[in-house]
Amino acid sequence: MTEETSWRTGLSQADAQARLRDEGFNELPTGDGRSILRIVADVLREPMFALLLAAGAIYLVLGDHGEAIVLLAFATLSVLITVVQETRSERVLAALRDQASPRALVIRDGERRRIPGREVARGDTIVVLEGDRIPADAVVVSASSLVVDESLLTGESVPVSKSIGEMTAAMARPGGENTPYLYSGTLAVHGEGVAVVRATGPKSELGRIGQSLKAITPEPPRLQAETRRLVRIFAAVGLTASLAVVLLIGILQGDWLQAVLGGIAIGMSLLPEEFPLVLTAFMVMGAWRLSRVRVLTRRAAAIEMLGAATVLCSDKTGTMTQNRMNLAEVRTVATRWRVGQGVPGADAVALIEAARRASSPEPSDPMEKALAAQADGIAAGKLLRRYALQPTLLAMSHVWQDADGSRVVATKGAPEAVGALSRLDATGQAWLHRAVEDMAGEGMRVLGVAQARLADGPLPDSQLGFDLEFLGLVGFADPLRDNVPAAIGECRSAQIRVIMITGDYPATAQAIAARAGLDAGKVVDGRSLESMDDAALRECVSTTNVFARIMPEQKLRLVQALKADGEIVAMTGDGVNDAPALRAAHIGVAMGGRGTDVAREASAIVLLDDDFGSIVRTIRLGRRIYDNLRKASAYIVAVHIPIAGLALLPLLFGLPFMLSPIHIAFLEMVIDPVCSIAFEAEAEERDLMQRPPRAADSKLLSTPMMVFSLLQGALALVALAVVLLVGIGRDMPTGELRALMFTSLVLINVGLIVVNRSFSSSLSVALRRPNLFLWLLLAVVASVMTAALTWPPAMDLFQFGPLHADDLGVSLIATVVLILCLEALKPWWRQSLRA
């Protein structure tokens, strides 16, 4: 028995089992993911983790258990974060496997039976009913008004009708009306059919996407790599300085205990534990801030890239548009009515009523739902007969009996098909062609509508037997979201290019793009893109903003071409077809409302409200986060120089150490929350969305930024040296000198905070910027310092002598002069500091 004649009885159970053994189950292969233990072992070998452990050990030895616990807790947290990120790929593939393996109704040995989707074999006959998830790629051999939602593979918002095909024909790619092909994971929304399975598991369309997902390696977190580099540099400098101090004091003074203590003080003053702390705090707080605008962060590395995005690739349906079909226009030869422009005339009402009668009484198709909403309350009568859509005749008709007993046939479908059924003359055909082109050019889906009164007697076997009167056209549109033009305008001012990539038709995409404010003069479709080599594609994406009828691997090619051209790419998507591109992009943005689990798992960010405006708000917030992270990093570099200098300066003058571990611990109480939380809470700069994105290869601490930070630290050290010389000149006792120097160091620290709060605002504006946490923190610092300088037990703990008013005046003068000098120098660096 040949395959052509055996689909009615299906495979035998034995044949199905044999094929499953030979070809494998209908599921995606599991990844070769590492075990949790192996991932943890890899993390423990990271230099960052080793440095955190070393820092914690130093604090334990010094008896500062609180600081040690914080550092060790952070080390543990870094392990957990890395483990979660490393296992994300497995979750992506697991979600894809779940999508691909629903329950299936098959015909085996001539009988219908429900089986797990993974047990469907090539050659199986599957029965598809309304509401079923298609279990495998197949060819339709029998159908009754079968309509399938393929949006997860094509991105098209409107379900497509299915026709009967040759079961031996090779599978074609998804998309288009009246094809005989069904695809794994898609959803039957209307009618029913029977199909023969042609491909399962990794050979299906979903399987091809799964294979491409396995081959894609997400972008490594640049910020994490740069932070590691900075930590290594600081650690090397600190270790070198510590050894030098130990050897210098030990050899020259012979006091090796004092030498070791001095080396520990220098090492602690340069210990770079703030960098990983700041990175974690900013990522956590950034994710929290994004959640407040209904954006979930799945991959922390995306936050660092948001401010650098140069290209935003956006889907059309549901992102720029509202993902629902509305009746937009009714057009007859004599009249034209648009929804919202007054009351429709009698001709328009008659046309809408006829289109409604040609639709299902309980519609599932989006366009039929739109007609039902517009024609609410219209009595349809009794449905006598349906004439289904056919591959050779793209129209459907319903025969109704009205309350008075008369019969009416209502027809709708492709305009050219309805025009042919109505036997339009040459003049009518010319009008029809012009009107359809005009409406399609405005992004509408267009249907032709006809109607006829029927005499008594038998109904014809085919729609061709009706003597129809052509009534006109109805146009449907997926409305543009109200905030999209303003959001695209904001992207333009921020020099972020917006590209629309959609599975929809070129005319629809071009019309929506034009209304959204995109340059839609040129549209490239999937067929044209397929013929381009990589070099031609790179040239194409540099000048084209609208891509239509794009297939899954083409979305991935577009993202890769943009990346190869040096762009930082943010990509939005919601379907399974978007998953490879989402994962390959620097910033994958999934839709939380209508998005599939596969798309969400493959993305770095999820928009809970599926709104294009949320993407722009996310980019704005990403720029602010990165701005503040740079300010915090500059402050960290600057503040360590005077601390290290104060640990070292007394040695040059033959004085006792001014800083002990308790002093450094107190300073860390100030530095850690300031750089990790206070700077994170800083408001955005005024020109945040008027400047271009930062360069793709820019560093957190660029050369100008590093120079300015070192200059800040050097001038702060000079200010401390001047205060020390004043103290030595006044022959102050050691306790009083220590109190003077430590107070000066704390005030200079506050001065560095003020200078680094803003790189674009003046000092007066920066001081007025709201930051409640910073002022609360400084109030606490002032209280503790007051206690340390006036309360005898605290003075003993800090080894302070009394600080007189004139001594405090010296510290204040040094701080004010430092701030004014740095503010005077800031304009020279301003442009490069914002780069």
Side-chain angles (χ1 to χ4, degrees):
M1 185 181 292
T2 64
E3 284 191 343
E4 287 82 351
T5 59
S6 65
W7 66 263
R8 295 183 185 277
T9 57
L11 292 177
S12 68
Q13 186 67 15
D15 286 344
Q17 293 299 323
R19 292 192 181 189
L20 289 175
R21 284 194 301 270
D22 294 340
E23 301 176 9
F25 286 100
N26 179 34
E27 59 187 2
L28 299 182
T30 57
D32 300 324
R34 297 175 296 168
S35 68
I36 296 294
L37 291 178
R38 181 178 172 188
I39 293 173
V40 171
D42 289 344
V43 175
L44 295 180
R45 289 196 295 268
E46 288 287 340
M48 176 78 75
F49 184 78
L51 283 169
L52 287 169
L53 288 181
I58 290 175
Y59 283 117
L60 278 175
V61 170
L62 294 173
D64 191 345
H65 296 156
E67 193 77 18
I69 290 172
V70 169
L71 288 171
L72 295 176
F74 173 74
T76 304
L77 181 62
S78 68
V79 173
L80 293 176
I81 291 173
T82 306
V83 168
V84 169
Q85 291 178 346
E86 291 289 341
T87 55
R88 179 171 285 109
S89 296
E90 280 300 303
R91 293 203 302 275
V92 172
L93 293 173
L96 195 57
R97 287 194 295 273
D98 292 341
Q99 189 83 33
S101 187
R103 300 277 298 175
L105 179 61
V106 301
I107 300 176
R108 294 251 178 105
D109 295 316
E111 296 181 357
R112 293 189 179 192
R113 62 181 70 179
R114 283 277 181 189
I115 63 173
R118 68 187 299 269
E119 296 180 9
V120 172
R122 182 180 57 82
D124 255 327
T125 300
I126 57 174
V127 180
V128 179
L129 305 177
E130 185 172 322
D132 282 353
R133 184 75 64 180
I134 312 299
D137 290 5
V139 176
V140 177
V141 293
S142 175
S144 175
S145 302
L146 181 60
V147 179
V148 178
D149 179 359
E150 296 182 345
S151 60
L152 86 169
L153 290 176
T154 65
E156 294 184 36
S157 57
V158 179
V160 292
S161 300
K162 292 298 175 181
S163 59
I164 298 172
E166 294 291 333
M167 58 181 293
T168 56
M171 293 292 296
R173 304 309 306 277
E177 279 278 354
N178 292 292
T179 66
Y181 308 111
L182 302 179
Y183 299 95
S184 176
T186 59
L187 181 68
V189 297
H190 186 67
E192 59 184 51
V194 179
V196 176
V197 174
R198 302 289 297 166
T200 62
K203 296 181 180 179
S204 68
E205 195 70 23
L206 269 183
R208 294 174 60 182
I209 295 174
Q211 295 298 317
S212 65
L213 273 174
K214 289 180 64 179
I216 297 170
T217 302
E219 287 289 319
R222 299 187 183 192
L223 199 56
Q224 186 178 3
E226 186 178 353
T227 303
R228 288 175 181 168
R229 181 182 64 85
L230 289 172
V231 168
R232 291 190 187 103
I233 293 172
F234 267 71
V237 171
L239 179 61
T240 302
S242 297
L243 291 175
V245 167
V246 171
L247 293 175
L248 184 65
I249 298 177
I251 293 173
L252 294 180
Q253 300 182 11
D255 189 347
W256 288 99
L257 178 59
Q258 186 76 355
V260 171
L261 290 174
I264 290 175
I266 289 290
M268 288 181 64
S269 66
L270 291 173
L271 197 65
E273 81 276 6
E274 293 93 354
F275 278 113
L277 182 65
V278 164
L279 184 58
T280 296
F282 269 70
M283 296 306 103
V284 170
M285 292 298 295
W288 175 74
R289 291 188 187 280
L290 289 173
S291 71
R292 296 183 67 190
V293 294
R294 296 186 57 75
V295 177
L296 296 183
T297 306
R298 295 184 54 81
R299 192 182 306 158
I303 297 176
E304 73 186 71
M305 299 302 298
L306 283 169
T310 59
V311 173
L312 173 55
C313 298
S314 176
D315 189 19
K316 173 185 72 68
T317 305
T319 307
M320 291 188 176
T321 65
Q322 298 176 21
N323 194 29
R324 58 184 177 87
M325 279 292 170
N326 286 352
L327 181 64
E329 182 176 321
V330 174
R331 188 178 296 201
T332 69
V333 174
T335 63
R336 177 181 178 183
W337 174 75
R338 289 202 173 205
V339 174
Q341 295 182 352
V343 179
D347 289 349
V349 171
L351 195 155
I352 294 170
E353 180 180 354
R356 174 70 182 93
R357 287 188 165 196
S359 305
S360 171
E362 297 179 357
S364 58
D365 179 88
M367 288 187 286
E368 292 189 347
K369 287 182 177 179
L371 284 169
Q374 186 67 36
D376 187 37
I378 295 176
K382 179 181 178 182
L383 180 61
L384 298 180
R385 182 169 176 177
R386 302 172 187 251
Y387 293 84
L389 202 72
Q390 298 296 327
T392 56
L393 183 58
L394 303 181
M396 59 191 298
S397 298
H398 289 170
V399 178
W400 296 85
Q401 186 175 41
D402 288 341
D404 59 4
S406 63
R407 297 187 302 175
V408 178
V409 59
T411 301
K412 69 175 176 65
E416 62 275 12
V418 176
L421 285 174
S422 304
R423 299 171 179 84
L424 289 177
D425 57 19
T427 302
Q429 291 283 3
W431 174 88
L432 178 65
H433 180 72
R434 289 194 306 272
V436 169
E437 277 198 343
D438 185 31
M439 296 171 74
E442 295 186 38
M444 297 183 198
R445 296 291 180 92
V446 185
L447 294 178
V449 181
Q451 181 175 279
R453 292 283 174 180
L454 301 179
D456 293 337
L459 296 173
D461 295 330
S462 162
Q463 299 176 79
L464 296 171
F466 294 119
D467 186 14
L468 294 169
E469 175 191 1
F470 186 79
L471 298 182
L473 303 171
V474 288
F476 302 86
D478 185 1
L480 189 72
R481 290 182 183 268
D482 294 337
N483 63 351
V484 167
I488 288 180
E490 192 170 6
C491 285
R492 188 177 293 110
S493 70
Q495 300 183 38
I496 300 170
R497 185 170 158 226
V498 179
I499 297 177
M500 178 192 289
I501 302 176
T502 179
D504 221 329
Y505 293 95
T508 305
Q510 189 171 33
I512 293 295
R515 288 205 292 271
L518 290 178
D519 179 6
K522 177 182 177 184
V523 179
V524 175
D525 62 16
R527 183 173 297 178
S528 302
L529 190 147
E530 191 172 354
S531 64
M532 298 179 187
D533 59 20
D534 291 344
L537 181 58
R538 285 182 60 181
E539 183 177 351
C540 176
V541 297
S542 66
T543 58
T544 305
N545 294 327
V546 182
F547 293 87
R549 303 298 289 170
I550 298 300
M551 299 302 295
E553 68 277 8
Q554 293 174 333
K555 291 186 179 184
L556 178 59
R557 278 194 72 200
L558 286 169
V559 169
Q560 291 172 335
L562 288 165
K563 289 170 66 177
D565 210 28
E567 305 284 2
I568 301 297
V569 183
M571 169 76 189
T572 73
D574 61 347
V576 173
N577 61 321
D578 298 321
L582 286 172
R583 193 172 183 203
H586 296 99
I587 311 160
V589 183
M591 303 297 110
R594 60 188 168 84
T596 60
D597 288 343
V598 180
R600 286 192 288 268
E601 289 290 344
S603 66
I605 287 173
V606 178
L607 304 183
L608 296 181
D609 53 8
D610 295 5
D611 186 358
F612 183 84
S614 295
I615 306 172
V616 181
R617 289 194 297 271
T618 301
I619 291 174
R620 172 187 285 273
L621 190 53
R623 287 191 173 194
R624 170 189 164 180
I625 290 169
Y626 194 83
D627 259 12
N628 291 342
L629 186 56
R630 299 184 78 217
K631 296 171 186 176
S633 300
Y635 165 74
I636 290 171
V637 172
V639 78
H640 275 279
I641 294 174
I643 295 174
L646 187 55
L648 187 61
L649 276 176
L651 301 178
L652 302 179
F653 294 95
L655 298 172
F657 282 107
M658 294 289 106
L659 292 181
S660 67
I662 186 62
H663 300 119
I664 295 177
F666 176 80
L667 289 171
E668 292 298 327
M669 285 174 53
V670 178
I671 295 171
D672 287 354
V674 163
C675 61
S676 61
I677 299 178
F679 273 113
E680 193 281 331
E682 282 293 333
E684 65 185 47
E685 301 284 354
R686 291 172 300 177
D687 63 343
L688 188 72
M689 293 297 283
Q690 280 73 52
R691 68 175 90 141
R694 70 177 191 271
D697 58 351
S698 67
K699 291 182 170 55
L700 183 65
L701 284 175
S702 61
T703 300
M705 176 73 82
M706 179 65 81
V707 171
F708 185 60
S709 299
L710 294 174
L711 179 61
Q712 290 183 66
L715 290 178
L717 181 56
V718 169
L720 273 179
V722 170
V723 174
L724 180 61
L725 290 174
V726 171
I728 294 174
R730 296 169 62 179
D731 199 20
M732 298 178 67
T734 300
E736 293 183 15
L737 183 60
R738 181 177 287 114
L740 172 64
M741 296 308 300
F742 189 75
T743 301
S744 300
L745 181 58
V746 170
L747 290 175
I748 285 173
N749 185 1
V750 173
L752 292 175
I753 294 170
V754 171
V755 168
N756 286 282
R757 289 190 67 194
S758 175
F759 294 142
S760 61
S761 301
S762 65
L763 178 60
S764 60
V765 173
L767 288 174
R768 294 197 304 269
R769 288 163 68 99
N771 191 331
L772 179 61
F773 184 87
L774 175 60
W775 300 121
L776 288 175
L777 176 66
L778 294 181
V780 172
V781 170
S783 300
V784 175
M785 280 299 299
T786 300
L789 293 170
T790 59
W791 188 39
M795 293 175 66
D796 292 340
L797 179 65
F798 281 89
Q799 303 175 40
F800 286 166
L803 185 69
H804 304 99
D806 55 344
D807 300 331
L808 183 59
V810 172
S811 299
L812 288 172
I813 291 172
T815 302
V816 171
V817 171
L818 172 67
I819 292 174
L820 294 177
C821 288
L822 291 175
E823 285 295 321
L825 292 171
K826 193 185 291 184
W828 296 88
W829 267 271
R830 183 161 291 157
Q831 196 61 38
S832 56
L833 292 180
R834 293 184 298 180

